[in-house]
Amino acid sequence: MRRNWFFFLILLAIMIILFPWTVLRWVDQDIEIGEEFTIRVLLEDGTVETLGLEEYIIGVVAAEMPAEFAEEALKAQAVAARTYAAKRINENINSNYDVDTTTNTQVWLSAKEMRDKWNWLSYWRYYGKISRAVESTRNQVLIANGQYVDAFFHSSTGRKPTERSEDVWSSSRPYLQNIESGEENPNRFVKTTTLTPGELYKKLGIPDPPKAFSKNDFQILSETATGRVKAIKVLGKSYTGSQLRTLLDLSSTDMEIDLTPQEVKITTYGYGHGVGMSQYGANDLANKGYNHEEILQHYYPGTSILTLKRS
């Protein structure tokens, strides 16, 4: 009797170990079937790997959007990411790669990195969910006037509508306008950054900081239509809101500034540049019943979905 129990426990242990691994192998192999389009990816080690476009998009969605999000939000993210990738492929014919794996283009995770991120027992569930979202939108991209759109996205718009592209960067896009965020919780990302004069000067690369701030050290020069900081003067030097956000590692340009002689407190709302699709807004809209096409139309009005085909 004891021997039977011993063999049963051994068999159970083997099943626990091998079953998830078997599922992972099956999921990994399944997504590669029928792949048509490819993309050249510059990896961290400097090598360039050619991947199937849909396989690549799975890695981008896994990196850029929480896997717990609703499937329609994941689909919208897949289309936005694929649009960016297709545009890069079209523009980089004479380059030796199309995208890298960082925020310089789009963040991308390999299967191993996904397992490390989610833990290997949860990987099969999240990978399967994302691969379904990608497969159901296979080869779909966003276009406007016959051109791939700049399908920018960010984590959270926060308490304000999305930004027009010309208020953050120099170029205007008719489909990147001030749009209601769609977010149920406008205070999801609220962060206060506190800096002393010495810490601020160091971040801005300015030597010889004073012992105290003066009341004119921070002056907001202009705001966008939504009320985010567009231009600001700090310690006598002018910056765009985006420049200051990068230099001080702030979450957004929707900021409130509280200045005392000893420190400056900068409270930001939202996360990201605020242009295009809010990922948390997309998830909230999906939970309200929006499908991925409706989500994309909400954030990129005037665009349409095109299915890529081999010529």
Side-chain angles (χ1 to χ4, degrees), residues 24-93:
L24 298 185
R25 294 289 299 169
W26 176 80
V27 172
D28 279 345
Q29 293 171 7
D30 181 66
I31 195 62
E32 296 177 3
I33 296 174
E35 193 64 67
E36 292 183 352
F37 296 96
T38 59
I39 187 168
R40 298 166 300 167
V41 182
L42 176 65
L43 303 178
E44 288 185 3
D45 62 5
T47 62
V48 176
E49 183 174 352
T50 299
L51 299 175
L53 180 58
E54 302 308 306
E55 177 188 0
Y56 166 75
I57 297 302
I58 290 173
V60 174
V61 175
E64 296 280 12
M65 179 174 272
E68 298 85 357
F69 276 14
E71 200 156 314
E72 292 301 319
L74 295 172
K75 291 178 185 179
Q77 180 69 62
V79 175
R82 190 183 295 107
T83 302
Y84 179 83
K87 188 172 184 179
R88 291 281 302 186
I89 293 170
N90 194 50
E91 293 174 347
N92 288 279
I93 296 174

